[in-house]
Amino acid sequence: VTMRLDGTDRSAALAMVQRWSAVAGRDAIERDFRFGDFSAAFGFMTRVALLAEKADHHPEWFNVCNRVRIVLTTHDAGGLSERDIELAQEIDRLATG
Amino acid sequence: VTMRLDGTDRSAALAMVQRWSAVAGRDAIERDFRFGDFSAAFGFMTRVALLAEKADHHPEWFNVCNRVRIVLTTHDAGGLSERDIELAQEIDRLATG
């Protein structure tokens, strides 16, 4: 079972994904991405989809034109878990290279 | 220039996409789709992305797990246009096989 992060574990985990911010009113993190056009944005989404499917852990996400907003939380755990932090780090690696 | 649909043109156009509903507070239409799993949902999104790129007319959309919500509107026209109706019809054709 994946545990919800709490206390100092949660603080330490969040420090590892500094480009992500807390979602208001939910135990979740979010990051907005902007690309040159829809093609680049959807190409990125396709790479994230492959990561997510491999990890069996999927994002909530919204796309319009060249913008992608990703929200991560672990429904089974009722909030943020290590699986979200791991996926966020993998997404960060995609986004920077 | 793509014109915003109005009056009887708008009614006639909406009658052609009966699986879509008006979005509250916006001149836009939406449809929710549900699939067997994320893989099927994202496969559908990929096909819609190809349609959208070909038409140079892109959706606003949200995905979580096996669900996809698509909103169509024409930003340049300030509301619903024939381009939305055409894309909605093409998406409907994908969704039914």
Side-chain angles (χ1 to χ4, degrees):
Chain A
V1 180
T2 308
M3 297 285 286
R4 183 169 163 273
L5 287 164
D6 216 341
T8 52
D9 286 348
R10 188 172 190 280
S11 311
L14 287 178
M16 294 164 66
V17 289
Q18 302 208 356
R19 290 172 176 277
W20 296 70
S21 42
V23 178
R26 296 184 59 187
D27 191 15
I29 53 174
E30 68 177 316
R31 185 176 168 191
D32 288 305
F33 299 86
R34 199 172 281 257
F35 299 89
D37 56 19
F38 173 79
S39 172
F42 195 77
F44 168 73
M45 290 176 73
T46 304
R47 298 187 73 192
V48 172
L50 296 177
L51 282 180
E53 190 67 3
K54 194 169 183 177
D56 196 21
H57 188 56
H58 303 99
E60 298 177 25
W61 50 1
F62 174 80
N63 159 243
V64 57
C65 306
N66 63 331
R67 303 201 319 263
V68 180
R69 176 177 182 252
I70 302 183
V71 172
L72 300 176
T73 191
T74 304
H75 298 109
D76 292 347
L80 203 63
S81 79
E82 278 186 7
R83 303 182 71 190
D84 300 306
I85 305 301
E86 284 161 17
L87 186 55
Q89 288 177 311
E90 291 190 83
I91 292 171
D92 283 347
R93 277 192 287 273
L94 275 190
T96 53
Chain B
V1 180
T2 308
M3 297 286 285
R4 183 170 165 272
L5 287 164
D6 215 342
T8 53
D9 286 349
R10 189 171 190 280
S11 311
L14 287 178
M16 293 164 67
V17 288
Q18 302 208 355
R19 289 171 175 279
W20 296 70
S21 43
V23 178
R26 294 185 60 187
D27 191 16
I29 54 174
E30 68 177 317
R31 185 176 167 191
D32 287 306
F33 300 85
R34 198 171 281 257
F35 299 89
D37 56 20
F38 174 78
S39 172
F42 196 77
F44 168 74
M45 289 176 73
T46 304
R47 298 187 73 193
V48 172
L50 296 178
L51 281 180
E53 190 67 2
K54 193 168 182 178
D56 195 22
H57 187 57
H58 303 99
E60 296 176 27
W61 49 1
F62 174 81
N63 160 243
V64 58
C65 305
N66 64 331
R67 302 201 319 264
V68 180
R69 175 176 183 253
I70 303 182
V71 172
L72 300 176
T73 191
T74 304
H75 299 108
D76 292 348
L80 202 63
S81 79
E82 278 186 8
R83 302 182 72 190
D84 300 305
I85 305 302
E86 283 160 18
L87 186 55
Q89 288 178 310
E90 291 191 83
I91 292 171
D92 284 346
R93 277 192 287 272
L94 276 189
T96 53

